[in-house]
Amino acid sequence: MDELIERRHKQPRRAMYVLPSLFTAGNIAVGYYAVMQSLQAVSTGDARFFDRAAIAIAFAMPFDALDGRIARMTNTASEFGKELDSLADVITFGVAPSILAYLWGFRMLPVVGNLVFRQKVMDLGLFICFLFLICGASRLARFNITKDPKPQNPGRPDRKYFVGMPIPAAAGVVASVVHCFDGQPIDNIWIALVWLSFVAFVGFLMVSRWRFWSGKEINLSRGHPFRLLILLTLAVVPLFLWSGITLITLALSYTVYGLFSRVSYGWMRRRRPQTAS
């Protein structure tokens, strides 16, 4: 009898299973809002809607991080929640940033100069932004079916890494660039070509097998809570005061980290035979 009572206490209540799904639903809602803001920017010509879409994508990242952690903390992880979270990520970090990247970077190009060349750049931009979405969806599918992925350039054995850039980080890179320019769309066709190459490269990073730090070894339940509170305060204050510079610095630093890890690993591999001889 005592064992039965203890087992019932250990099992989470059914209502607790709804809690992680609420955060996932919030993730979807923010992604839908970002899409609508991007479309409204085109219809009204107001760049502030692009900026709101970018901020919404960045705001969705805490929702994506919290739903999984809450599910593990409350012991309510389920296959339904896992699949719902993946679908939410496709919408918020795949569809929303791809639409934003196209409308902000190509759709608003001025109708001047060589119109045939402008149309070709727009068509190519549409394809690249769609490719970004496909890469993100493929990255999520690979993450779901791979139990213990190994990067091509392994790092420290005591750290956990993502294989390929995670889709929220890739969406954050796109959103941070748009927000850094206050949503003002690209009005130069040559800059649009640079943006095209940048979006394509971020999409490649998602399907690559390069390592990116996951931060999963950080345990918020351990350590000193006052120190953690101070660190969070130091991180939040710059976001409010200089959100554009802070977000793009964080996003590009994370991207450069993946590039540096890959290049340094390749350089070390080339030096090993020389050192051994």
Side-chain angles (χ1 to χ4, degrees):
M1 186 65 179
D2 294 337
E3 293 180 359
L4 181 60
I5 295 175
E6 184 179 355
R7 190 182 305 170
R8 287 181 177 178
H9 281 296
K10 288 183 179 180
Q11 292 178 348
R13 296 180 179 180
R14 292 183 179 180
M16 294 297 293
Y17 284 91
V18 182
L19 187 59
S21 298
L22 288 177
F23 281 87
T24 306
N27 187 4
I28 298 174
V30 175
Y32 178 75
Y33 173 81
V35 172
M36 299 307 295
Q37 292 298 299
S38 297
L39 296 177
Q40 197 164 355
V42 176
S43 61
T44 61
D46 192 344
R48 291 177 297 179
F49 291 106
F50 281 133
D51 193 36
R52 293 173 187 173
I55 294 174
I57 293 172
F59 188 73
M61 293 182 183
F63 285 98
D64 180 63
L66 286 173
D67 59 359
R69 286 187 177 271
I70 290 175
R72 290 188 292 269
M73 289 171 59
T74 58
N75 194 25
T76 55
S78 63
E79 289 298 321
F80 172 80
K82 179 180 178 182
E83 296 300 325
L84 183 63
D85 181 63
S86 295
L87 292 174
D89 288 349
V90 170
I91 295 172
T92 305
F93 304 121
V95 176
S98 63
I99 292 176
L100 176 63
Y102 170 71
L103 296 180
W104 179 80
F106 308 101
R107 183 64 178 80
M108 304 296 286
L109 286 173
V111 188
V112 293
N114 192 336
L115 298 183
V116 176
F117 181 57
R118 173 185 179 273
Q119 186 60 45
K120 289 183 178 180
V121 172
M122 289 178 60
D123 293 340
L124 186 59
L126 181 64
F127 172 74
I128 292 299
C129 293
F130 172 71
L131 196 64
F132 177 92
L133 172 59
I134 293 298
C135 290
S138 302
R139 168 68 176 77
L140 286 170
R142 186 180 68 186
F143 178 79
N144 289 339
I145 65 174
T146 308
K147 294 182 179 180
D148 188 19
K150 300 294 183 183
Q152 286 182 342
N153 50 330
R156 284 170 42 184
D158 59 331
R159 275 193 173 185
K160 295 182 180 180
Y161 297 94
F162 288 122
V163 178
M165 177 181 280
I167 186 172
V173 172
V174 173
S176 66
V177 174
V178 176
H179 179 57
C180 185
F181 290 95
D182 297 323
Q184 294 295 330
I186 294 176
D187 57 0
N188 185 295
I189 198 168
W190 301 109
I191 298 178
L193 289 174
V194 175
W195 176 244
L196 185 147
S197 303
F198 182 75
V199 173
F201 181 67
V202 175
F204 162 76
L205 290 179
M206 285 191 285
V207 295
S208 71
R209 297 192 63 86
W210 300 357
R211 77 171 186 261
F212 286 83
W213 180 56
S214 68
K216 291 183 178 180
E217 70 269 18
I218 298 176
N219 193 338
L220 299 178
S221 62
R222 296 179 182 177
H224 302 279
F226 293 106
R227 293 181 182 177
L228 180 62
L229 181 62
I230 294 174
L231 290 175
L232 289 176
T233 303
L234 293 176
V236 169
V237 168
L239 286 176
F240 280 99
L241 297 179
W242 311 284
S243 60
I245 298 298
T246 302
L247 287 176
I248 197 171
T249 300
L250 292 174
L252 294 182
S253 297
Y254 189 76
T255 305
V256 170
Y257 166 80
L259 299 178
F260 176 77
S261 300
R262 184 67 184 91
V263 172
S264 61
Y265 178 76
W267 181 75
M268 290 176 62
R269 287 193 63 181
R270 287 193 296 268
R271 282 181 57 89
R272 282 175 188 171
Q274 299 176 2
T275 305
S277 59

